[in-house]
Amino acid sequence: MTRSARRPLARRALAAAGAAALALLGTAIGSSAAQATDPPPPSPANITGTTGSIVIHKHAGDPGAAGDGKVITDPTKVTELGQGLDGVEFSVQRVSHLGVPIDLKTAEGWDYAEDVTVDNASTAPYSLTDVETVTTEGGGLATVDELPYGLYLISETSPGSNPIVSPVEPMLVSVPYQDETNSTWLYEVHVYPKNKLNETNPEKTVAEPGGLVLGSTVEWTVTAPIPELGAGDTYRKFVITDQLDPRLTLTGAIVSLDGVELDPGTDYTLSPDTLPAEGANVAVTLTAAGRAQLMDKSNVVVKLTTTVTSLGEGNTGGKISNTAAVNVNDSVRETDPAQTNWGPLKIMKVSATAKSQGLQGAEFTLHETKGGPEVDGVGTLTSNAAGVIVVDGLWVGNGATLTKSYWVQETKAPAGYVLPTGDGAWTEVVVSAGPAASVVVKSIANTQYDGPMLPLTGAAGTTAFMAGGMALVAIAGGAALAASRRKRGSVK
């Protein structure tokens, strides 16, 4: 923004008043035609009273200081002003010359004021003295009363909660101010600084995982629309941040601008710079080279690759949610949260006739659908001595989806029990998002064989069986001996 554009109110007032002061000293101003048609500028000698006021009207729009020092009452122009912004903070500072506040009741004061600019107002021979800090309210209004007649620098110091992406630059305002319509003095000066708002809505999404078990890869995407700036403004800051959940480990990041990948180190920096990083506070900061490419572009997209390491505990166990933020020129916009959901699976293998009896040695495979391929990374599930099978964590969905059906197929029954066949070997299990403590146990029963079985363990049982076997052998041997004797007797 040019110097003349930054301070239209002040320079018009100062130019007119300076002309008046020079006229009082006998210096010719302007052409004879201009003097014949323009009303004479007001003279400092005509200033009455000792104090005035500045009324700040803060609105959204292209930055500038619209207005002519008077309050805008025309309904059409009021509508054109845009949204009034509450909560914006301004500092008011008085300009001094050689340590003495400039007095605009005198021609000498106007002479000093004529050479003041926003850029040199704090540089010798000029200096600034703090007067007051005000905050807009009631539709973007802030009033500074009882200001001694002088020259004031008005600076926006805080946007409050407003996402201001192009703030108004500091402006010089004189009190009093020339009313150009009738060449009189305005003692209540109205200024209308505008700001360009960042009204973009960044988004964060999460993809389906690369696998269905803990340790699988999950990709998060942050899409940051590039806000429009005010005329002459530049992208001074563009940072995307994302505090990852402690259950996530960052393994990689890709940054692109309208589909074209940016160069790490040249166009942006990534923090942390050492991967993998558990529960990382991620910051993607565009460098000057990266920001220079933003004009007339649409979106910056950041893809973060993570792995899920655990379910966690408590109410959020298994529900992993994250929100990202985009900071453009200190205006911050947040995404809605994106969430990936995981839960535990527990199967109890029991006897059909004694449901409390856990059976060891049953083997299963895990599938996403009945008859479908096995879930990668699981392998064979075998019941332990208590008949229990546990899968620490399985993906159940994203967002509001908190349950998912899986299928297990029994491939080997416990010793002494019948292995189901066909559809009977398949069992549907429903996994719900939550910590390990919230698992719902799925019981799967097996039927024992009906026929006689060898004893599985125990010396007593084995001994009895062997004794019975020996007795049978002895009986068989005796019968054979008797038959042989009968045969010999018949031969005689």
Side-chain angles (χ1 to χ4, degrees):
M1 183 178 294
T2 64
R3 180 177 297 170
S4 59
R6 287 199 301 266
R7 43 197 175 89
L9 297 180
R11 296 307 288 168
R12 287 200 297 270
L14 294 178
L22 292 175
L24 291 174
L25 297 175
T27 303
I29 301 298
S31 66
S32 58
Q35 292 176 1
T37 57
D38 295 338
S43 167
N46 296 331
I47 295 175
T48 62
T50 58
T51 63
S53 61
I54 298 175
V55 181
I56 300 171
H57 301 254
K58 186 64 174 174
H59 292 267
D62 286 321
D68 56 6
K70 293 182 288 188
V71 63
I72 297 175
T73 57
D74 184 308
T76 300
K77 293 184 177 179
V78 170
T79 301
E80 292 174 351
L81 286 173
Q83 172 191 355
L85 303 179
D86 291 343
V88 183
E89 183 181 271
F90 289 89
S91 69
V92 181
Q93 298 171 294
R94 189 172 183 182
V95 182
S96 296
H97 178 264
L98 295 176
V100 179
I102 292 176
D103 183 1
L104 294 187
K105 297 192 303 295
T106 68
E108 181 182 45
W110 286 102
D111 284 340
Y112 294 145
E114 175 65 20
D115 294 327
V116 180
T117 67
V118 168
D119 296 327
N120 71 11
S122 59
T123 304
Y126 302 106
S127 59
L128 297 171
T129 301
D130 291 340
V131 175
E132 190 173 349
T133 297
V134 293
T135 303
T136 58
E137 59 183 1
L141 294 175
T143 301
V144 189
D145 289 319
E146 299 183 3
L147 292 173
Y149 294 150
L151 184 63
Y152 294 89
L153 180 70
I154 311 297
S155 304
E156 184 178 309
T157 54
S158 173
S161 60
N162 301 287
I164 293 174
V165 68
S166 287
V168 69
E169 294 194 28
M171 55 186 154
L172 290 165
V173 180
S174 67
V175 179
Y177 186 83
Q178 180 194 7
D179 182 349
E180 294 181 345
T181 303
N182 53 25
S183 294
T184 60
W185 292 108
L186 298 174
Y187 300 103
E188 182 179 84
V189 184
H190 293 261
V191 295
Y192 289 81
K194 291 186 176 183
N195 290 104
K196 196 74 172 179
L197 295 184
N198 180 357
E199 298 181 298
T200 61
N201 293 303
E203 296 181 348
K204 183 174 185 183
T205 58
V206 58
E208 293 188 6
L212 299 172
V213 297
L214 287 181
S216 296
T217 298
V218 174
E219 185 178 80
W220 308 78
T221 300
V222 181
T223 302
I226 302 169
E228 181 184 357
L229 299 180
D233 200 3
T234 60
Y235 294 101
R236 301 176 301 280
K237 178 186 289 188
F238 203 110
V239 182
I240 298 172
T241 56
D242 189 346
Q243 174 59 68
L244 293 180
D245 189 280
R247 294 164 288 181
L248 298 175
T249 295
L250 179 67
T251 58
I254 297 175
V255 183
S256 61
L257 175 61
D258 283 2
V260 178
E261 283 192 28
L262 297 178
D263 293 328
T266 300
D267 297 325
Y268 69 92
T269 60
L270 174 67
S271 177
D273 55 6
T274 301
L275 302 179
E278 183 178 346
N281 186 9
V282 181
V284 174
T285 303
L286 267 61
T287 63
R291 297 194 303 274
Q293 302 176 51
L294 296 179
M295 198 64 69
D296 300 323
K297 296 297 193 300
S298 298
N299 297 293
V300 175
V301 176
V302 175
K303 291 185 180 294
L304 302 177
T305 305
T306 65
T307 55
V308 181
T309 58
S310 67
L311 298 179
E313 301 297 335
N315 293 333
T316 60
K319 304 169 188 176
I320 303 174
S321 178
N322 276 100
T323 300
V326 182
N327 183 329
V328 183
N329 290 359
D330 290 324
S331 66
V332 179
R333 305 287 285 179
E334 290 190 348
T335 68
D336 289 332
Q339 183 168 302
T340 182
N341 303 309
W342 300 72
L345 171 63
K346 186 176 182 179
I347 298 170
M348 186 73 180
K349 187 62 174 174
V350 298
S351 168
T353 56
K355 296 296 180 65
S356 61
Q357 179 185 346
L359 301 179
Q360 184 178 12
E363 294 183 358
F364 293 86
T365 53
L366 181 67
H367 305 256
E368 193 173 3
T369 59
K370 183 179 180 180
E374 293 183 33
V375 172
D376 289 339
V378 176
T380 300
L381 301 173
T382 305
S383 60
N384 62 18
V388 174
I389 295 172
V390 174
V391 180
D392 291 333
L394 293 170
W395 180 70
V396 299
N398 291 338
T401 302
L402 301 177
T403 60
K404 178 177 172 62
S405 292
Y406 285 87
W407 290 81
V408 290
Q409 181 185 24
E410 188 169 352
T411 58
K412 180 181 178 181
Y417 288 81
V418 178
L419 176 66
T421 59
D423 287 345
W426 292 88
T427 303
E428 184 180 18
V429 291
V430 177
V431 181
S432 299
S438 67
V439 66
V440 176
V441 179
K442 177 68 175 181
S443 293
I444 300 177
N446 275 86
T447 303
Q448 281 184 296
Y449 283 109
D450 291 333
M453 295 295 295
L454 294 178
L456 299 179
T457 59
T462 304
T463 302
F465 176 78
M466 292 179 65
M470 292 174 66
L472 290 174
V473 171
I475 293 172
L481 180 60
S484 176
R485 287 176 176 173
R486 286 196 298 271
K487 185 176 181 181
R488 288 197 300 271
S490 64
V491 171
K492 291 179 179 180

